[in-house]
Amino acid sequence: MTSVWESLTVDARDPSRLAHWWAEALGYQVVADKPDEVEIRPAADRLPGIVFVPVTDAKQTKNRLHLDLRPADREAEVERLVDMGARHVDVGQGDVGWTVLADPEGNEFCVLRGREE
């Protein structure tokens, strides 16, 4: 017996705003937008989703889990995400082949090189 990955849950001070930001970043769609949870998916009938739930406290430490994005053009994607409100962050990564960014609520994620770079 195995399990199916249904969703990843993200705590957010403003779940709707953050969900819409990630939906735009990933090309996903918002499939549910309720006060207690907002869910985005690649398509309404496709899993996994990302569920954003409200919390009152701000993020305080480095994520223990993060997303890695692999665009065709890393530099162009980093520029697009920063224009959308992401920011560069240093989590001690040093000189590496990826870029670490944080979403508007400070959640870190990585933008990797394209497979052919």
Side-chain angles (χ1 to χ4, degrees), residues 9 12 17 23 29 45 53 56 65 86 102:
T9 301
R17 177 176 168 253
Q29 60 183 285
D45 60 347
V53 298
T56 57
L65 174 72

Side-chain angles (χ1 to χ4, degrees), residues 96-115:
V96 293
W98 59 85
T99 301
V100 181
L101 298 176
D103 71 16
E105 289 203 11
N107 300 299
E108 300 91 4
F109 63 97
C110 295
V111 182
L112 309 175
R113 287 188 206 139
R115 294 229 179 252

Side-chain angles (χ1 to χ4, degrees), residues 34-73:
K34 300 180 279 188
D36 62 336
E37 100 177 7
V38 183
E39 182 176 5
I40 66 173
R41 293 183 182 178
D45 60 347
R46 286 191 48 212
L47 295 174
I50 304 175
V51 177
F52 298 83
V53 298
V55 295
T56 57
D57 53 327
K59 180 180 171 301
Q60 295 182 8
T61 61
K62 180 180 173 289
N63 295 0
R64 298 287 301 248
L65 174 72
H66 70 267
L67 298 178
D68 287 341
L69 309 181
R70 188 178 300 279
D73 181 336

